[in-house]
Amino acid sequence: MLMLIFPDYQLQAERLAARLAIPTENVHIHHFPDGESLVRLPPSLPEHVLICRSLNQPNDKLIELLFCARTARQLGAKRLTLIAPYLSYMRQDIANQPGEAVSQRIMGQMLAELFDDVITVDPHLHRINSLDQAIPIKNAISLTAANEVAKFLQKKLDYALLLGPDSESEQWVSAIANKIGFDFAVATKIRRGDKQVEVSLPDFDFSNQPVVIIDDMASTGRTLSKATELLLEAGAQKIDAVITHPLFCGDAEAHILQAGVKNIWSTDSISHSTACIYLDNLLAGAVWDIL
Ligand code: R5P
């Protein structure tokens, strides 16, 4: 077995390979001036190859993944396992207007054709319950970081009220709260545009409460900053945030901090300065389970 590592996800992939006690090799990427990617793999590969790369900022990464997987097969890999802690294009699961591409289905089909196993963490699935409905293979494995987040919060804080900023976050916030005996509440959200969100807090006494907002991803940061503003108005004592997938596009992080969040803690599903909750143990367990 061998793990192929990409430069943008090197530290996390090396940590995972060390935990699995397997060797690694780098995938070399060269970007030509016109934006094309040259992908180079080691010239011979074992039968089972693991490819570890998160798929945030996905468009270049997806074409490189396609080249990498097809080349790995030519070089002798019989089994290919993709470990993508963040899996992009999972949100668009219907055509909201006639003619729109249903990216989840198309992406899922592509991954199913390329890989024997796909392992990811807390994919953002709306209308389907299991990842194999999006990626039609037996080993389409969706893990949750709830345990890792719960352990982290338990070490960090004596108590906090956990707040999910929208109904979709309830699954994560309730699981985390129940593991460590913290209370939780869930807000409601209406998204009017990429950077326009309306959040309403639930009927709860937030005064003097330490609050941790829990969300699966932060993209523009508007959901987190809106929830923070409302919590401060409601008298919350201190607000921190835990994010599973720290996409943090553009001014997102600055916006969240400006709104009054004291600490942002994220998992290392994406390389980011806030990443301090490591997923290697969780991912290694999933790899061992499928061997
Ligand atoms: C949406 O349902 C997700 O759980 C996040 O709340 C959302 O993606 C955050 O986006 P943004 O940071 O752009 O508000």
Side-chain angles (χ1 to χ4, degrees), residues 90-96 100 102 104 123-131 133-134 168 171:
M90 288 293 111
R91 284 176 275 184
Q92 177 101 19
D93 57 2
I94 52 166
N96 292 304
E100 252 175 28
V102 182
Q104 183 195 78
H124 197 100
L125 307 175
H126 283 288
R127 278 162 278 251
I128 58 171
N129 304 320
S130 66
L131 189 62
Q133 292 173 267
E168 283 162 344
Q171 53 186 304

Side-chain angles (χ1 to χ4, degrees), residues 86 91 124 126 165-169 172 189 191 193-197 214-226 243 245 247-249 252 256:
Y86 176 68
R91 284 176 275 184
H124 197 100
H126 283 288
D166 53 29
S167 57
E168 283 162 344
S169 62
W172 297 293
K189 179 174 86 180
R191 184 173 285 282
D194 286 346
K195 290 190 176 181
Q196 286 83 41
V197 293
I214 307 270
D215 210 352
D216 64 327
M217 61 176 81
S219 175
T220 66
R222 270 38 181 193
T223 300
L224 275 178
S225 39
K226 192 36 99 185
I243 305 300
H245 303 300
L247 293 166
F248 292 129
C249 310
I256 295 164

